[in-house]
Each structure stands twice: as structure tokens, then as C-alpha cells.
Amino acid sequence: MAFAATVVLLGLAVLVHELGHFLAARWSGLPVARFSVGFGPALWSRTRGRTEFRLAVFPLGGYVLLGLADEASYLALPLGKRILFCLGGPAANLGLALVLFAA
């Protein structure tokens, strides 16, 4: 039971973190190709617009894949957009911690 609760809480923390990156990318006008919670093969997947949302087998992490051609395209973005995208996840985790602490 404790193991299942740990996996669920870790999955929630990953979801909040990746959602922070996702929202920061959207607010910056960056294209998002994939939003994934978990690694490995997909258990569930839906495409909405140009973004694929997926839940994968191992919920020990996740990622937001920008819809850019290559690393050079990312480095060509304005610095402010890159900083906002990178800080979106940690800011979301901090916000969750503050909400949980206040509760």
C-alpha cells in the first residue's frame, strides 16, 4: 500500500512539474509536440491539435518535447523564452509545495 501511494504521489509531482513546462511553453508561443508523464512505451495517448498527450509505463519522470527541428532552433529562440520554459517546471513544483504547506 505504501509503495502504491509513493508511486501516485511521485506521479502527481511529475505531472505538476511537466505541466509547468507545458504552460510556460504555451504562454511563450513555443510549439509543443509531446507532453508525457512517464517514460517507456505509452499506456495511453491522445493527440489534440499538434500536441500528443501520453501516459507512459514508468511514472518516474516525464518530459515536454518542443516541436522544433533541432537544437539550433532551440538556441535561436530569444533567451527570455528559453528561461521561461526552463523555469516553468520548478516554479510549478514550488507553487504546489506552497499550496500543500498552506493546507
Side-chain angles (χ1 to χ4, degrees):
M1 182 67 181
F3 177 74
T6 301
V7 169
V8 168
L9 289 175
L10 181 61
L12 177 65
V14 168
L15 174 67
V16 168
H17 180 87
E18 298 308 328
L19 190 60
H21 286 301
F22 176 77
L23 292 175
R26 291 292 174 135
W27 289 332
S28 298
L30 301 175
V32 177
R34 183 179 298 149
F35 174 87
S36 177
V37 174
F39 297 117
L43 292 172
W44 175 87
S45 176
R46 287 275 183 263
T47 301
R48 185 169 177 202
R50 296 182 186 173
T51 304
E52 175 192 6
F53 296 91
R54 72 174 5 188
L55 179 61
V57 174
F58 305 108
L60 302 174
Y63 60 94
V64 173
L65 180 66
L66 294 178
L68 301 174
D70 55 9
E71 183 181 353
S73 301
Y74 177 74
L75 295 174
L77 293 172
L79 182 61
K81 287 186 178 190
R82 289 185 282 158
I83 290 173
L84 182 63
F85 174 69
C86 290
L87 292 179
N93 282 120
L94 182 60
L96 176 64
L98 292 172
V99 166
L100 292 176
F101 184 72

